[in-house]
Structure formats: structure tokens, C-alpha cells
């Protein structure tokens, strides 16, 4: 990561940072098509549109459905172009193709093959260049307002969890519990949930992305809950694993190993650390306990306007944590046929270490 991306960007600076990047990449413009990035740059919360960023202007191109909303939401320095027909034709109209044809970047990590073809057809004189996740990289460093929104989403999720734990009973199905959790998250004020909560009990807790099913909760089960809330578009993401009734020795042991892995990874998650080193800090604990092959996913991921965004915290990541990166730490141990434990925290990387946004106790709780 360049040093520039470690500087957080209040909204009025965000477009300027993009323009600096364009300049570095010798591009004349950038076509932003990833909706979370459009929201981050302009404030527009609609579900369809393009943002064309040029050195002296920025134009949000969207359709008739968003006419009133777009002009209400977009920040200063962004103009709105509404089309009744198609975004590509409007884009061609907005883009000054000139005689020589400008070099315009597009987000090749999100643009579909079909849309890439349409760009070529509608703006024939443009040289389209894959610009990579340029805006996503800038978005990975959060400003204090963004961290506050994520913190509020964390607190909302925690209060919904506290409420739901009060009604967990044997015989309740995972689906019923998931519905109770969704209801409480929304009632606590969450916008559309970042993802459907995972409620996995007993042996099903060993499935990393289990969908809640009709299994009934039983005494002695592990109960894994992974869920989040959303505030001002920003997501939270947390996981806790409980035991129904008294925990068996093996359950305590596995939970203890995962809790230790969380602590080590949090201690490693300071600005300047590589994402690989943070992953290794968690993984070393799990490997040393003999469960290395039972932790098959990465340690964490960035959280923001998307529930999974940059930086990735895993063994293959080439990213380095910067001050203001908000990431999850979610090591796990999955024992097929028996059950699994995952614990997930949201932390903010800083020069003096990580600040943990999640406040819910991490020790093994018997319900
Ligand atoms: Zn999660
Ligand atoms: Zn997560």
C-alpha cells in the first residue's frame, strides 16, 4: 500500500485522492461502477449507476427511478445525469471522447464481461484500461465518522445478541432462533442486514457457512451465531459460540484455543503489520494445539460499506495493515461430526495496536 492510502479521507477529499491516483496511472478519467464505491465517493445510495470521475468534474449517471434521490444525496462537486434509456448511451454523451480518444480506467474486479463489451460498443474512441480496485483501496482506510458508524452497528448487534440469549431454549430450531435474531437486529435500528445470520447448532457448527435449518437445539450443543447490523450503510460482523447446558471438556478446550488465537491476532494487528503476519499469529496457536487442518479459511477481512472488503487477512494476502483499517479477526476450529467454534471481533488497526470495537465477552458462556 502506498503511504497515501494510510491517510483517511473525509468526503470532500475522496474525489481528490481518486484524481491523484488517476494522474499517477496516466488515466484521463475513471469509470466507477461498484455501487459501494459510488456511495463512498458521492453519498448516492441507489442500486444502479455509473460515476465518471474526470480531472475537473465528477458525474453520477443513473436512471429515472433515482432522479429525486440522486440530487438530494450527492455531495458537492458531483453533478447528476439522468437517463430514461440506457446508462451506456448517457455515459458516451458525458464522456468527451475527443479526436484522439482518452484513456479511461474501469474497475475490472467488478465490471461484468457483458458491461465491458457494452463500454467498447458505446464509447468506441475510448481506450479502456483495467484500473483495478483503486477506490476499494482508498475505502479500506476509514475516517472517524466511518469508524463511529461501524461501532454503532457493532453495539446494535451486541444488544440484539443479549436479548436473543435470554430466549434460547432447548427444542427451538435454528430457523426460529435466526428469525428472533433478525427481528431484534432490525428493531434495534439496523438497516438491511449485511448478511443472513448464521445460526448453527451441535455438529452443524462445524460448517463454516451453515444456513439455519430445522435442527432443534439440544443440551450439550455448541451454538454458533454469526451476524451483523448496518448503520448509515456500514456493516458490523461478529461471531460467538456458546454451549447449551454444561460444556464438555473438549468443548472448553477447543473454545480456549480459538479464544487464544483471537487474542494473538488482535495483538498482531497494528498498523504496518502484514496481513499474513496477523493470520499467522492466529494460525500458529491453532496449529500448536493440533487443529491446524481444521481451520481452513482466512483469519479475517475488511469491513465497511461491504461486509467483506479490503484488506483480506489470510495466508495469501499481500496487503499491509494501515492505520484506520477496520478488519475482523475470526479464527475457528471445525471438527466434522462434532462441532466447531468460531469467535469474531471487529478491530481498528492503529499505530499503537488494534482497538477492539466488539465489547461482548469472549469467554465460553453456558446457556
Ligand atoms: Zn461473521
Ligand atoms: Zn466475517
Amino acid at each position: 500500500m502506498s503511504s497515501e492510502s494510510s491517510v483517511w479521507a473525509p468526503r470532500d477529499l475522496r474525489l481528490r485522492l481518486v484524481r491523484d491516483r488517476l494522474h499517477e496511472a496516466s488515466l484521463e478519467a475513471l469509470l466507477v461502477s461498484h455501487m459501494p464505491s459510488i456511495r463512498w465517493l458521492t453519498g448516492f445510495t441507489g442500486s444502479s449507476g455509473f460515476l465518471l470521475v474526470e480531472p475537473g468534474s465528477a458525474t453520477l449517471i443513473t436512471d429515472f427511478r433515482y432522479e429525486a434521490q440522486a440530487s438530494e444525496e450527492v455531495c458537492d462537486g458531483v453533478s447528476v445525469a439522468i437517463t430514461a434509456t440506457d446508462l451506456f448511451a448517457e455515459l458516451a454523451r458525458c464522456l468527451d471522447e475527443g479526436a484522439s480518444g482518452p484513456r479511461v480506467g474501469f474497475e475490472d474486479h467488478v465490471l461484468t464481461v457483458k458491461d465491458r463489451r457494452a463500454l467498447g460498443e458505446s464509447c468506441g474512441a475510448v481506450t479502456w484500461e483495467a484500473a483495478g480496485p483503486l477506490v476499494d483501496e482508498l475505502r479500506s482506510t476509514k475516517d472517524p465518522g466511518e469508524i463511529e458508524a461501524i461501532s454503532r452497528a457493532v453495539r446494535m448487534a451486541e444488544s440484539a445478541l443479549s436479548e436473543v440469549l435470554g430466549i434460547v431454549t432447548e427444542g427451538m430450531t435454528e430457523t426460529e432462533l435466526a428469525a428472533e435474531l433478525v427481528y431484534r437486529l432490525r428493531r434495534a435500528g439496523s438497516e438491511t442486514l449485511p448478511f443472513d445470520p448464521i445460526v448453527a447448532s451441535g455438529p452443524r457448527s462445524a460448517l463454516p457457512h451453515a444456513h439455519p435449518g430445522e435442527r432443534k437445539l439440544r443440551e450439550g450443543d455448541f451454538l454458533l451465531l454469526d451476524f451483523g447490523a448496518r448503520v448509515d450503510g456500514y456493516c458490523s460482523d461478529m461471531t460467538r459460540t456458546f454451549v447449551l447446558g454444561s460444556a464438555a471438556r473438549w468443548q472448553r478446550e477447543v473454545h480456549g484455543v480459538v479464544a487464544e488465537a483471537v487474542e494473538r491476532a488482535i495483538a498482531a494487528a497494528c498498523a504496518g503489520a502484514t496481513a499474513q503476519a496477523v493470520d499467522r499469529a492466529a494460525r500458529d496457536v491453532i496449529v500448536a494445539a493440533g487443529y491446524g487442518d481444521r481451520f481452513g479459511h482466512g483469519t479475517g477481512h475488511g469491513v465497511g460499506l461491504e461486509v467483506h472488503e479490503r484488506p483480506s487477512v489470510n495466508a495469501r494476502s499481500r496487503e499491509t495493515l494501515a492505520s484506520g483499517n477496520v478488519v475482523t479477526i475470526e479464527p475457528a476450529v471445525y471438527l466434522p461430526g462434532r462441532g466447531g467454534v468460531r469467535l469474531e471481533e471487529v478491530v481498528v488497526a492503529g499505530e499503537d495496536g488494534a482497538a477492539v470495537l466488539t465489547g461482548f465477552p469472549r469467554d465460553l458462556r453456558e446457556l
Side-chain angles (χ1 to χ4, degrees):
M1 241 182 211
S2 75
S3 60
E4 195 177 49
S5 65
S6 67
V7 178
W8 57 266
R11 174 153 281 148
D12 55 344
L13 275 183
R14 292 175 188 173
L15 281 168
R16 206 170 85 195
L17 289 178
V18 172
R19 291 186 177 114
D20 289 348
R21 291 294 181 93
L22 289 182
H23 185 74
E24 284 165 20
S26 304
L27 292 169
E28 272 117 304
L30 178 72
L31 179 69
V32 185
S33 57
H34 193 35
M35 296 314 297
S37 291
I38 292 179
R39 178 172 186 164
W40 187 75
L41 287 168
T42 69
F44 177 60
T45 63
S47 64
S48 166
F50 287 141
L51 175 69
L52 181 64
V53 182
E54 294 175 287
S57 67
T59 311
L60 173 71
I61 301 160
T62 186
D63 66 76
F64 175 77
R65 293 171 297 168
Y66 295 115
E67 191 168 13
Q69 183 183 332
S71 49
E72 233 170 65
E73 289 180 339
V74 297
C75 60
D76 290 346
V78 179
S79 52
V80 177
I82 299 292
T83 173
T85 51
D86 93 280
L87 294 179
F88 294 93
E90 189 61 24
L91 172 66
R93 208 186 57 76
C94 294
L95 240 179
D96 178 12
E97 296 187 40
S100 54
R103 293 180 68 230
V104 181
F106 68 96
E107 299 179 299
D108 53 309
H109 63 304
V110 287
L111 198 78
T112 63
V113 172
K114 181 167 163 266
D115 284 354
R116 172 65 187 87
R117 197 180 307 126
L119 287 181
E121 286 164 6
S122 51
C123 309
V126 169
T127 304
W128 291 102
E129 300 273 351
L134 183 157
V135 186
D136 302 56
E137 278 170 18
L138 295 173
R139 276 172 44 209
S140 72
T141 301
K142 271 66 180 178
D143 69 33
E146 295 179 289
I147 292 171
E148 177 53 26
I150 297 169
S151 302
R152 283 171 58 205
V154 166
R155 289 195 294 275
M156 234 171 236
E158 289 175 336
S159 87
L161 175 61
S162 297
E163 281 187 35
V164 101
L165 289 181
I167 58 157
V168 171
T169 51
E170 252 193 285
M172 189 177 214
T173 67
E174 294 171 351
T175 313
E176 282 163 359
L177 185 52
E180 295 286 352
L181 188 53
V182 169
Y183 170 62
R184 282 163 173 78
L185 286 163
R186 294 305 300 266
R187 213 184 51 172
S190 174
E191 297 158 10
T192 320
L193 299 185
F195 57 96
D196 287 334
I198 294 172
V199 174
S201 63
R204 301 191 74 253
S205 58
L207 308 172
H209 269 186
H211 293 289
E214 292 312 304
R215 186 181 182 280
K216 292 188 161 106
L217 308 187
R218 269 180 236 152
E219 168 104 23
D221 276 353
F222 264 138
L223 176 62
L224 183 153
L225 305 175
D226 183 352
F227 57 99
R230 193 192 295 265
V231 171
D232 293 338
Y234 287 85
C235 307
S236 68
D237 185 7
M238 71 177 288
T239 308
R240 287 293 181 271
T241 308
F242 306 95
V243 172
L244 233 70
S246 306
R249 213 157 108 195
W250 71 273
Q251 289 174 314
R252 286 201 171 280
E253 190 214 310
V254 175
H255 193 281
V257 168
V258 176
E260 171 76 12
V262 168
E263 255 165 59
R264 296 289 183 86
I266 290 173
C270 50
T274 64
Q276 283 192 15
V278 178
D279 181 82
R280 207 177 314 118
R283 203 165 296 280
D284 282 352
V285 174
I286 292 172
V287 169
Y291 297 113
D293 59 341
R294 307 292 3 131
F295 174 33
H297 57 69
T299 292
H301 53 85
V303 184
L305 288 170
E306 292 176 278
V307 70
H308 292 127
E309 55 177 54
R310 298 170 76 90
S312 295
V313 182
N314 61 45
R316 298 169 311 283
S317 177
R318 295 180 176 280
E319 293 168 282
T320 298
L321 293 190
S323 198
N325 283 167
V326 177
V327 296
T328 68
I329 300 290
E330 49 178 310
V333 169
Y334 306 104
L335 304 175
R338 299 178 76 192
V341 173
R342 181 166 70 252
L343 300 171
E344 178 176 25
E345 309 287 354
V346 174
V347 308
V348 187
E351 301 296 336
D352 303 321
V356 184
L357 298 185
T358 328
F360 202 92
R362 205 181 299 143
D363 38 297
L364 179 59
R365 181 158 159 190
E366 296 167 325
L367 304 175

mmCIF file of all heavy atoms in Angstrom, residues 9 31 55 88 110 121 132 135 144 157 165 169 183 196 233 300 312 316-317 320-321 344:
data_model
loop_
_atom_site.group_PDB
_atom_site.id
_atom_site.type_symbol
_atom_site.label_atom_id
_atom_site.label_comp_id
_atom_site.label_asym_id
_atom_site.label_seq_id
_atom_site.Cartn_x
_atom_site.Cartn_y
_atom_site.Cartn_z
ATOM 1 N N ALA A 9 -9.703 9.761 4.465
ATOM 2 C CA ALA A 9 -10.207 10.752 3.525
ATOM 3 C C ALA A 9 -11.618 11.197 3.863
ATOM 4 O O ALA A 9 -12.565 10.481 3.600
ATOM 5 C CB ALA A 9 -10.188 10.150 2.125
ATOM 6 N N LEU A 31 -14.064 5.289 -14.625
ATOM 7 C CA LEU A 31 -15.474 4.917 -14.560
ATOM 8 C C LEU A 31 -15.651 4.023 -13.328
ATOM 9 O O LEU A 31 -15.100 2.926 -13.269
ATOM 10 C CB LEU A 31 -15.887 4.147 -15.821
ATOM 11 C CG LEU A 31 -17.352 3.714 -15.803
ATOM 12 C CD1 LEU A 31 -18.279 4.916 -15.921
ATOM 13 C CD2 LEU A 31 -17.635 2.704 -16.907
ATOM 14 N N PRO A 55 -10.705 14.912 -14.359
ATOM 15 C CA PRO A 55 -9.881 15.849 -13.575
ATOM 16 C C PRO A 55 -10.664 17.041 -13.038
ATOM 17 O O PRO A 55 -10.476 17.450 -11.904
ATOM 18 C CB PRO A 55 -8.810 16.284 -14.580
ATOM 19 C CG PRO A 55 -8.702 15.144 -15.529
ATOM 20 C CD PRO A 55 -10.090 14.574 -15.649
ATOM 21 N N PHE A 88 -25.218 3.392 -20.722
ATOM 22 C CA PHE A 88 -24.046 3.428 -21.597
ATOM 23 C C PHE A 88 -24.139 4.573 -22.600
ATOM 24 O O PHE A 88 -23.146 5.246 -22.880
ATOM 25 C CB PHE A 88 -23.884 2.079 -22.309
ATOM 26 C CG PHE A 88 -23.554 0.975 -21.352
ATOM 27 C CD1 PHE A 88 -24.560 0.195 -20.804
ATOM 28 C CD2 PHE A 88 -22.242 0.739 -20.965
ATOM 29 C CE1 PHE A 88 -24.260 -0.813 -19.900
ATOM 30 C CE2 PHE A 88 -21.936 -0.257 -20.060
ATOM 31 C CZ PHE A 88 -22.952 -1.039 -19.523
ATOM 32 N N VAL A 110 -14.898 -5.786 -10.777
ATOM 33 C CA VAL A 110 -16.352 -5.874 -10.577
ATOM 34 C C VAL A 110 -17.168 -5.793 -11.869
ATOM 35 O O VAL A 110 -18.298 -6.279 -11.917
ATOM 36 C CB VAL A 110 -16.881 -4.783 -9.600
ATOM 37 C CG1 VAL A 110 -16.484 -5.082 -8.174
ATOM 38 C CG2 VAL A 110 -16.428 -3.400 -10.017
ATOM 39 N N GLU A 121 -18.615 -0.893 -27.171
ATOM 40 C CA GLU A 121 -19.560 -0.596 -28.248
ATOM 41 C C GLU A 121 -20.080 0.839 -28.192
ATOM 42 O O GLU A 121 -20.265 1.484 -29.224
ATOM 43 C CB GLU A 121 -20.737 -1.584 -28.199
ATOM 44 C CG GLU A 121 -20.344 -2.971 -28.696
ATOM 45 C CD GLU A 121 -21.342 -4.059 -28.301
ATOM 46 O OE1 GLU A 121 -22.409 -3.715 -27.732
ATOM 47 O OE2 GLU A 121 -21.029 -5.239 -28.545
ATOM 48 N N GLY A 132 -8.136 -1.744 -11.788
ATOM 49 C CA GLY A 132 -8.051 -2.482 -10.523
ATOM 50 C C GLY A 132 -8.913 -1.848 -9.439
ATOM 51 O O GLY A 132 -9.675 -0.914 -9.698
ATOM 52 N N VAL A 135 -10.475 2.438 -5.998
ATOM 53 C CA VAL A 135 -11.313 3.102 -4.990
ATOM 54 C C VAL A 135 -11.456 2.204 -3.752
ATOM 55 O O VAL A 135 -11.446 2.684 -2.620
ATOM 56 C CB VAL A 135 -12.703 3.477 -5.558
ATOM 57 C CG1 VAL A 135 -13.494 4.286 -4.531
ATOM 58 C CG2 VAL A 135 -12.559 4.276 -6.846
ATOM 59 N N PRO A 144 -12.858 8.871 11.028
ATOM 60 C CA PRO A 144 -13.520 8.704 12.331
ATOM 61 C C PRO A 144 -15.041 8.546 12.215
ATOM 62 O O PRO A 144 -15.645 7.802 12.987
ATOM 63 C CB PRO A 144 -13.149 9.995 13.079
ATOM 64 C CG PRO A 144 -11.844 10.410 12.468
ATOM 65 C CD PRO A 144 -11.943 10.043 11.013
ATOM 66 N N ALA A 157 -25.650 -4.905 17.171
ATOM 67 C CA ALA A 157 -25.600 -6.371 17.070
ATOM 68 C C ALA A 157 -25.453 -6.980 18.460
ATOM 69 O O ALA A 157 -26.080 -7.994 18.783
ATOM 70 C CB ALA A 157 -24.432 -6.786 16.166
ATOM 71 N N LEU A 165 -30.218 -14.129 23.610
ATOM 72 C CA LEU A 165 -29.712 -15.174 24.511
ATOM 73 C C LEU A 165 -30.701 -15.443 25.651
ATOM 74 O O LEU A 165 -30.733 -16.537 26.207
ATOM 75 C CB LEU A 165 -28.343 -14.791 25.082
ATOM 76 C CG LEU A 165 -27.187 -14.829 24.079
ATOM 77 C CD1 LEU A 165 -25.879 -14.452 24.754
ATOM 78 C CD2 LEU A 165 -27.069 -16.189 23.401
ATOM 79 N N THR A 169 -33.867 -21.630 24.069
ATOM 80 C CA THR A 169 -34.285 -22.797 24.859
ATOM 81 C C THR A 169 -34.062 -24.068 24.060
ATOM 82 O O THR A 169 -34.010 -24.031 22.823
ATOM 83 C CB THR A 169 -35.800 -22.757 25.191
ATOM 84 O OG1 THR A 169 -36.510 -22.525 23.976
ATOM 85 C CG2 THR A 169 -36.145 -21.704 26.221
ATOM 86 N N TYR A 183 -35.213 -10.187 13.813
ATOM 87 C CA TYR A 183 -36.215 -9.255 14.342
ATOM 88 C C TYR A 183 -35.575 -8.265 15.306
ATOM 89 O O TYR A 183 -35.798 -7.054 15.223
ATOM 90 C CB TYR A 183 -37.320 -10.066 15.026
ATOM 91 C CG TYR A 183 -38.297 -9.243 15.817
ATOM 92 C CD1 TYR A 183 -39.093 -8.282 15.196
ATOM 93 C CD2 TYR A 183 -38.418 -9.417 17.200
ATOM 94 C CE1 TYR A 183 -39.984 -7.524 15.928
ATOM 95 C CE2 TYR A 183 -39.313 -8.658 17.935
ATOM 96 C CZ TYR A 183 -40.090 -7.713 17.307
ATOM 97 O OH TYR A 183 -40.963 -6.955 18.025
ATOM 98 N N ASP A 196 -27.498 -12.730 5.937
ATOM 99 C CA ASP A 196 -28.412 -13.529 6.747
ATOM 100 C C ASP A 196 -27.630 -14.141 7.901
ATOM 101 O O ASP A 196 -26.591 -14.765 7.671
ATOM 102 C CB ASP A 196 -29.024 -14.665 5.909
ATOM 103 C CG ASP A 196 -30.051 -14.143 4.929
ATOM 104 O OD1 ASP A 196 -30.637 -13.072 5.199
ATOM 105 O OD2 ASP A 196 -30.260 -14.807 3.896
ATOM 106 N N GLY A 233 -25.180 2.566 6.222
ATOM 107 C CA GLY A 233 -24.540 1.774 5.166
ATOM 108 C C GLY A 233 -23.378 0.927 5.655
ATOM 109 O O GLY A 233 -22.931 0.021 4.952
ATOM 110 N N GLY A 300 -9.391 -13.156 8.695
ATOM 111 C CA GLY A 300 -10.340 -12.037 8.723
ATOM 112 C C GLY A 300 -10.421 -11.293 7.403
ATOM 113 O O GLY A 300 -9.801 -11.664 6.410
ATOM 114 N N SER A 312 -7.803 -8.184 2.976
ATOM 115 C CA SER A 312 -8.009 -9.575 3.380
ATOM 116 C C SER A 312 -6.915 -9.954 4.369
ATOM 117 O O SER A 312 -5.755 -9.600 4.168
ATOM 118 C CB SER A 312 -7.887 -10.505 2.176
ATOM 119 O OG SER A 312 -8.925 -10.238 1.282
ATOM 120 N N ARG A 316 -2.518 -15.771 2.070
ATOM 121 C CA ARG A 316 -2.104 -15.375 0.714
ATOM 122 C C ARG A 316 -2.129 -13.858 0.511
ATOM 123 O O ARG A 316 -1.723 -13.360 -0.529
ATOM 124 C CB ARG A 316 -3.026 -16.025 -0.335
ATOM 125 C CG ARG A 316 -3.002 -17.541 -0.334
ATOM 126 C CD ARG A 316 -4.122 -18.119 -1.190
ATOM 127 N NE ARG A 316 -5.419 -17.519 -0.871
ATOM 128 C CZ ARG A 316 -6.163 -17.825 0.210
ATOM 129 N NH1 ARG A 316 -5.727 -18.729 1.071
ATOM 130 N NH2 ARG A 316 -7.311 -17.227 0.422
ATOM 131 N N SER A 317 -2.650 -13.133 1.489
ATOM 132 C CA SER A 317 -2.806 -11.689 1.326
ATOM 133 C C SER A 317 -1.445 -11.008 1.151
ATOM 134 O O SER A 317 -0.473 -11.359 1.802
ATOM 135 C CB SER A 317 -3.509 -11.115 2.560
ATOM 136 O OG SER A 317 -3.603 -9.718 2.452
ATOM 137 N N THR A 320 -0.709 -4.853 3.617
ATOM 138 C CA THR A 320 -0.145 -4.445 4.900
ATOM 139 C C THR A 320 -1.187 -3.583 5.591
ATOM 140 O O THR A 320 -1.807 -2.731 4.952
ATOM 141 C CB THR A 320 1.148 -3.636 4.661
ATOM 142 O OG1 THR A 320 2.098 -4.484 4.008
ATOM 143 C CG2 THR A 320 1.748 -3.141 5.975
ATOM 144 N N LEU A 321 -1.380 -3.809 6.881
ATOM 145 C CA LEU A 321 -2.400 -3.029 7.586
ATOM 146 C C LEU A 321 -1.962 -1.578 7.725
ATOM 147 O O LEU A 321 -0.802 -1.293 8.011
ATOM 148 C CB LEU A 321 -2.655 -3.613 8.976
ATOM 149 C CG LEU A 321 -3.312 -5.000 9.048
ATOM 150 C CD1 LEU A 321 -3.715 -5.311 10.487
ATOM 151 C CD2 LEU A 321 -4.520 -5.090 8.136
ATOM 152 N N GLU A 344 -15.489 -14.022 16.540
ATOM 153 C CA GLU A 344 -15.170 -12.975 15.577
ATOM 154 C C GLU A 344 -15.309 -11.599 16.205
ATOM 155 O O GLU A 344 -16.342 -11.261 16.776
ATOM 156 C CB GLU A 344 -16.108 -13.090 14.361
ATOM 157 C CG GLU A 344 -15.879 -12.016 13.314
ATOM 158 C CD GLU A 344 -16.757 -12.207 12.076
ATOM 159 O OE1 GLU A 344 -17.822 -12.827 12.191
ATOM 160 O OE2 GLU A 344 -16.354 -11.712 11.008
#
